[in-house]
Amino acid sequence: MSSPPARSHGELESIFAEVEAPFAFVDLDAMGANAAAMLGRAGGKPVRVASKSLRCRALLERVLRADPGFEGLMTFTLPETLWLAEQGFENLLLAYPTADTGALGELALRSVANPDGAPIVMVDCAEHLDAIESVLGAGAAPVRVCIDLDASWWWLGGRVKAGPKRSPVHTVEQAVELAREIERRPQLDLAALMAYEGQIAGVGDRPPGQRLRGAAIRFMQRRSAAELAERRAAVVAAIRDFAELQIVNGGGTGSLELTGAEDAVTEVTAGSGFYAPALFDHYSRFALTPAAGFALPIVRKPSAGVATALGGGYLASGGGDPARLPVPWLPEGLRLDAEEGAGEVQTPLLGAPAAELAIGDRVYMRHAKAGELCERFDVLHLLEGGEIVDAVPTYRGEARAFL
Ligand SMILES: Cc1ncc(COP(=O)(O)O)c(C=O)c1O
């Protein structure tokens, strides 16, 4: 699929002439091009869709319907998972451990009703196993679990560690020990292993204006990918000696071609790449088409060269660096004010086009991350062929705030 045309400010203004700002939108042509590109990069491995990065039921359905290469969802909380299951979504893998005993009780009921199709939940220690078992009655069906293997990269004898601080299960021995513990418990069924290499999938290796940092990231990612491929294969082989692992999941938008190429991996995950938020502009391995944005109205002109928009302070989660700020998109050439950034009630915009903007005009921005945009808006306006074709509720629009 060829890339859809880049949109101009004028085009977006005429498309959205009747829509009151602030509003958020998704360009389905761009999202489709991103989806096709990600399937290509996954090299034939099924791609599980990360719900946290879309946070919109209608778009999750659309992605899963669009191509059989997308299989199942990676979910982010147990209440969300149960809600999606109620709505008819199948093949759900909850990627983060839960301590919610009420929701675990509901999961247990689902597991009785559908032992092979109930959601799979994440575990990385015996306490997680105890929590699940604590809600199961004597005759309950087994609950399916997935071991979260730490995919971080340890260098210089562990003095340098790169990667998300998640699971304590890092070595083959630790993984085998937890797998055996699960096997000893008849009400738990070891169905899957997941190892998410956030230091590769979620870190752009071409940070703008930071050549040295980029080189260091590329070095780390090369070494980490090689180390993980070996360790992941060893863990999978060792567990498969005594347990059937149906699923070996790994990867994310930023690592599809690397993770997908590992024989031990049965499926990869992608989410952010559908919307292609600003943090995903800075990778050497691929280019995506911006597919999601939001519009803010200009409401004041503090001086001739400044146009100030209403609201806009939709910061992304993470390390708190300036890359977490939203990015002015159209008209091209706008920038945030270094003092104010993107504010709770107003966002001053500087740069040459600011002088041309008048009260009532709209500016178009992109979020740094993907699904978090949906926590700010009830509705996503959908574009196709340069026209508004639908407006669909986000999770928030369905009164569902999970995190
Ligand atoms: C476990 C796990 N897998 C995969 C991903 C990749 O998601 P995305 O494609 O949205 O970057 C994430 C993102 O944080 C994750 O936590």
Side-chain angles (χ1 to χ4, degrees):
M1 187 172 184
S2 58
S3 290
R7 307 235 174 260
S8 69
H9 182 244
E11 242 179 303
L12 288 182
E13 279 296 72
S14 86
I15 292 169
F16 290 116
E18 305 300 321
V19 183
E20 206 59 58
F23 62 84
F25 65 97
V26 168
D27 186 329
L28 296 176
D29 298 320
M31 192 175 93
N34 293 336
M38 291 197 290
L39 283 177
R41 289 173 53 222
K45 291 272 163 80
V47 177
R48 186 176 290 278
V49 179
S51 66
K52 78 176 173 70
S53 303
L54 280 87
R55 300 193 202 197
C56 169
R57 209 154 52 91
L59 290 183
L60 290 172
E61 277 163 9
R62 174 180 275 271
V63 164
L64 291 172
R65 256 200 330 265
D67 193 297
F70 295 114
E71 278 185 35
L73 298 180
M74 172 173 281
T75 56
F76 67 109
T77 75
L78 189 50
E80 180 221 9
T81 310
L82 295 167
W83 175 63
L84 290 171
E86 244 168 62
Q87 307 299 321
F89 287 91
E90 294 173 350
N91 189 359
L92 306 176
L93 173 65
L94 171 58
Y96 315 94
T98 181
D100 181 337
T101 47
L104 280 171
E106 261 185 68
L107 173 70
L109 294 179
R110 275 204 166 266
S111 302
V112 174
N114 186 4
D116 299 324
I120 302 174
V121 294
M122 200 57 55
V123 295
D124 67 32
C125 60
E127 285 85 343
H128 293 152
L129 309 183
D130 296 341
I132 299 168
E133 282 185 324
S134 74
V135 304
L136 299 176
V143 167
R144 299 194 302 160
V145 300
C146 175
I147 293 180
D148 189 348
L149 175 71
D150 174 46
S152 64
W153 180 56
W154 296 2
W155 193 38
L156 302 176
R159 282 194 293 281
V160 176
K161 291 184 177 176
K165 294 171 188 64
R166 293 191 181 178
S167 170
V169 180
H170 185 81
T171 64
V172 176
E173 295 69 32
Q174 288 169 326
V176 166
E177 191 186 326
L178 182 58
R180 287 202 185 280
E181 182 61 36
I182 295 167
E183 290 290 287
R184 273 194 288 276
R185 302 186 187 212
Q187 288 188 301
L188 301 178
D189 174 15
L190 176 57
L193 178 100
M194 181 191 82
Y196 169 59
E197 53 281 69
Q199 71 278 13
I200 304 172
V203 179
D205 62 349
R206 286 249 169 93
Q210 298 179 282
R211 287 171 63 105
L212 275 180
R213 185 173 152 72
I217 291 172
R218 288 191 292 279
F219 168 80
M220 175 276 289
Q221 292 185 339
R222 254 195 325 274
R223 298 281 294 266
S224 173
E227 184 276 330
L228 180 60
E230 220 171 272
R231 183 159 52 90
R232 183 153 41 200
V235 167
V236 170
I239 294 179
R240 285 217 168 116
D241 270 349
F242 60 92
E244 191 194 343
L245 274 181
Q246 295 147 33
I247 295 172
V248 179
N249 178 284
T253 294
S255 74
L256 292 171
E257 55 284 278
L258 300 171
T259 315
E262 287 182 34
D263 287 339
V265 169
T266 64
E267 59 169 45
V268 288
T269 297
S272 303
F274 293 100
Y275 293 169
L279 280 173
F280 284 81
D281 290 348
H282 312 300
Y283 286 72
S284 64
R285 292 184 292 278
F286 58 88
L288 295 163
T289 308
F294 59 95
L296 302 175
I298 298 301
V299 287
R300 46 170 45 151
K301 298 274 301 181
S303 62
V306 181
T308 297
L310 180 68
Y314 312 150
L315 274 64
S317 57
D321 55 295
R324 306 281 148 176
L325 289 162
V327 174
W329 184 12
L330 293 168
E332 269 178 69
L334 290 175
R335 64 174 195 277
L336 299 178
D337 177 67
E339 294 290 318
E340 280 190 55
E344 183 181 6
V345 288
Q346 69 163 39
T347 297
L349 293 156
L350 318 178
E356 308 299 318
L357 288 167
I359 289 170
D361 290 344
R362 285 91 62 84
V363 291
Y364 293 80
M365 314 273 291
R366 290 168 66 211
H367 203 280
K369 291 182 77 173
E372 291 175 31
L373 172 66
C374 294
E375 301 297 344
R376 293 292 184 165
F377 294 93
D378 285 342
V379 161
L380 293 172
H381 296 273
L382 304 184
L383 297 188
E384 202 164 23
E387 283 177 18
I388 301 174
V389 292
D390 207 351
V392 292
T394 58
Y395 278 11
R396 171 183 141 151
E398 297 200 70
R400 304 282 164 170
F402 296 106
L403 279 183

